[in-house]
Amino acid sequence: MMMNRRKFLQSTAAGAAAGLVSSSAFAAEEPINVAGIHDLSGGLDIYGKPMVDALTLAVEEANAAGGLLGRQIKLINYDPQSNMQLYTQFAQQAALKDKVAVVHGGITSASREVIRPVLDKFKTLYFYNTQYEGGVCDRDQFDTGVTPAQTVEKLVPYAMKKWGKKVYVIAADYNYGQITSQWVKKYVLENGGEVPSIDFFPLDVTNFGPTISKIQAAKPDFVWSALVGGAHISFYRQWAAAGMRKSIPMASTTFAVGNEHIVLSPEECDGMLVCYNYFQDLKNPVNETFVKSFHKRFGEDYPNITELAMGTYQGFRLWAEAVKKAGSVDRLKVIEALETGISIDAPSGKVTIDPPTHHCVLDVHIAEVADKKLKVLEDFAQQKPADTAAVCNLIKNPNDNQQYVIKI
């Protein structure tokens, strides 16, 4: 039902009488098609809806300002329903049928990795706007979300200084959780700590009783969570119900990106530490204007503008700036413009494309969950996206196409 409501039929431009208008003039009047592929239903819809809303606002703002290159932008949204087969289908439809200039989409690393080869095959530009495990090196892809080298690297020593050096890791059992947990281990070890266990859970798991017992027995100083999705919210509820929240604290680089801190009660999650590029309460003029515009468009009662929503908004803005610089929506011309180091003043602060990696240099912040809010505790300006453990240089090696994975 959600997919039918969200899908848009491609409109046809009004034609002039045959022979009176040249085909090139007709083409100039056609909209620029942009695709969004985000989960609006299924287990990942807690992330997808804010991303779609942010992309919608970005497109509407651009159109209100005259569009791009004298053309309006047409946003075509697809709901893959947290189904990898539908991700593949919609990526192909966007590239071949709807002939989009760019795709903004994907939430999990699994969804990215089914989109990416399809769009590479059909030479379609792809923006992956989600905080993720890092390491993807692909000239057709740009990544606007934070990576562990920007967030885990800051949050691990902060949490260890606050709570202690024995860290128990729990993570989603797929690419993101598996690789991010290794980044956590890397930084824990580098800061003189230990990781007694790393436990993985499929996205549909809801019973965490045995794991809670294992954590109790291990007696860590704190737990690191890289859990993902609606089902995994059950862990935090069960953790609090077992009386563990006050005895063993928790840090995460996934918690709150789906507004879990609003879904849960303060008794279930207050005191958790998180680290991201964007928080709604950041104090800067660009963000204050953005939040007002967002609430005017989607309602004053909108729960919270998330990290993933901001990544999507920034991804569109970076693409739009590159189109202006290139004077074209041609894939290679836009890539070349982005590789000049396109920069925007965003609600999260300055965001700049790092040409060799196609990731972003951006600010990150550590925050604490407090009564359904995210209270910023410390700021780190202009963090680079890549660690020396994962080397990608698409300027020197434009044909590189792989994911560099950390090895410990």
Side-chain angles (χ1 to χ4, degrees), residues 87-96 112-124:
Y87 264 109
T88 302
Q89 175 185 323
F90 291 142
Q92 184 166 321
Q93 182 177 334
L96 296 182
R112 180 195 70 238
E113 289 306 304
V114 297
I115 289 177
R116 192 161 70 91
V118 173
L119 299 181
D120 280 341
K121 178 179 179 181
F122 298 116
K123 305 300 182 186
T124 303

Side-chain angles (χ1 to χ4, degrees), residues 172-334:
D173 191 12
Y174 71 100
N175 207 11
Y176 172 80
Q178 292 159 2
I179 296 174
T180 297
S181 65
Q182 292 304 303
W183 283 100
V184 175
K185 184 176 181 179
K186 165 186 166 64
Y187 291 124
V188 169
L189 295 177
E190 286 182 358
N191 285 275
E194 61 174 311
V195 178
S197 184
I198 301 175
D199 296 352
F200 297 104
F201 305 92
L203 293 178
D204 60 353
V205 166
T206 57
N207 179 14
F208 292 91
T211 298
I212 291 173
S213 296
K214 282 182 62 180
I215 297 172
Q216 288 174 317
K219 297 181 180 179
D221 292 313
F222 67 96
V223 171
W224 184 285
S225 170
L227 298 176
V228 171
H232 285 183
I233 291 177
S234 299
F235 171 81
Y236 305 109
R237 289 198 169 107
Q238 292 165 30
W239 181 255
M244 298 301 298
R245 193 186 67 79
K246 293 183 179 179
S247 59
I248 300 178
M250 193 173 301
S252 177
T253 47
T254 55
F255 190 84
V257 295
N259 281 336
E260 293 91 341
H261 65 299
I262 294 174
V263 174
L264 297 171
S265 68
E267 292 73 26
E268 291 169 321
C269 61
D270 271 10
M272 285 186 64
L273 293 178
V274 296
C275 185
Y276 301 116
N277 167 236
Y278 178 75
F279 295 98
Q280 182 175 305
D281 293 333
L282 289 179
K283 305 299 182 186
N284 66 68
V286 177
N287 187 46
E288 290 167 8
T289 299
F290 168 78
V291 171
K292 288 179 182 177
S293 297
F294 199 97
H295 285 160
K296 182 178 180 181
R297 175 62 176 83
F298 298 108
E300 292 295 333
D301 60 346
Y302 201 93
N304 177 62
I305 305 169
T306 65
E307 162 83 356
L308 303 190
M310 181 49 58
T312 306
Y313 183 82
Q314 292 172 173
F316 178 86
R317 288 271 313 277
L318 287 163
W319 172 77
E321 287 302 310
V323 168
K324 293 175 188 176
K325 186 178 182 68
S328 171
V329 294
D330 176 79
R331 176 183 62 91
L332 278 176
K333 291 179 180 178
V334 174

